[in-house]
Amino acid sequence: MRDDAVGEILVQPDDLSRRVRELGAQITEDYHGRDLLLVGVLKGAVFFLSDLMRHIDVPCELDFMAVASYGSTTDSSGVVRILKDLDAPIDGRHVLIVEDIVDSGLTLQYLLRNLGARDPKSIEVCALLTKPERRKVSVEPRYVGFEIPNRFVIGYGLDHGERYRNLPYVAALVEGA
Ligand code: IMP
Ligand code: MG
């Protein structure tokens, strides 16, 4: 796809698949002997989640949440609204939230509080990407794919105005292109 908005590639397809495999192996080891419930955060995490889940070798189930944060397209406000809730209760379950990216951390903080209040047996986070420089609240995912600099990124599930999710790599967005 030729598009002027697609800038420097920050994570190549090979690096994505290698890291996803490593994360799957780590999660498999950590959750050995336990059943796992993966909670994907729609829509950005879908690509990462479906690749990751195929590298997890413990009994696992899948559910989804969709949230929206009020704010501009590139900045979240911290006021989070649930667009789609989980299909089933999570009390007594080992929950792993799967996110595309942790930016300010506000969305994740909300999700951890909201799901944490439903009595899961454990709750952890696996994020493909993190932008530590942008953090406004302290939330640290247990599993992280890549730390990236403070740039708006697209691809492998991440969008700008709903586009570019289908890029097979993670690239910087060229703003105003
Ligand atoms: P936070 O609440 O500021 O941590 O923002 C989290 C959400 O904002 C993510 O789940 C993404 O949907 C979106 N987001 C943050 N940074 C980016 C980016 O660089 N590209 C695309 N989406 C982003
Ligand atoms: Mg988004």
Side-chain angles (χ1 to χ4, degrees):
M1 176 167 40
R2 282 181 57 98
D3 188 320
D4 291 342
V6 182
E8 184 192 344
I9 296 180
L10 300 183
V11 191
Q12 294 285 356
D14 283 357
D15 296 318
L16 285 169
S17 55
R18 179 188 44 80
R19 188 69 187 120
V20 168
R21 218 177 308 122
E22 287 173 2
L23 288 170
Q26 186 66 56
I27 291 165
T28 299
E29 203 178 303
D30 294 351
Y31 287 88
H32 178 78
R34 289 185 280 172
D35 286 15
L36 183 58
L37 176 66
L38 297 172
V39 171
V41 184
L42 296 171
K43 307 169 194 168
V46 164
F47 298 67
F48 172 46
L49 172 64
S50 67
D51 287 343
L52 179 69
M53 197 170 178
R54 282 175 278 189
H55 293 289
I56 296 178
D57 190 18
V58 298
C60 53
E61 293 171 34
L62 181 59
D63 206 340
F64 289 101
M65 266 188 90
V67 294
S69 72
Y70 295 99
S72 71
T73 49
T74 55
D75 250 313
S76 92
S77 61
V79 184
V80 176
R81 187 163 51 108
I82 295 182
L83 301 178
K84 184 225 170 287
D85 206 342
L86 298 176
D87 290 340
I90 57 169
D91 52 293
R93 306 296 307 268
H94 293 288
V95 174
L96 182 62
I97 299 174
V98 181
E99 253 285 36
D100 52 0
I101 188 165
V102 186
D103 187 31
S104 68
L106 291 163
T107 304
L108 200 52
Q109 183 185 55
Y110 172 84
L111 282 172
L112 282 168
R113 285 193 183 148
N114 185 292
L115 297 183
R118 304 184 196 188
D119 289 327
K121 196 156 192 181
S122 68
I123 186 161
E124 298 288 351
V125 177
C126 178
L128 175 68
L129 304 171
T130 178
K131 288 192 256 190
E133 278 175 59
R134 293 263 300 173
R135 209 68 95 247
K136 288 186 191 155
V137 290
S138 111
V139 284
E140 287 318 314
R142 167 96 176 258
Y143 307 96
V144 170
F146 300 91
E147 281 194 6
I148 60 165
N150 179 12
R151 298 173 76 176
F152 195 88
V153 291
I154 50 178
Y156 196 58
L158 291 134
D159 74 301
H160 180 247
E162 294 301 326
R163 288 185 57 193
Y164 308 111
R165 295 191 196 275
N166 54 324
L167 298 174
Y169 45 76
V170 175
L173 174 77
V174 179
E175 307 211 34

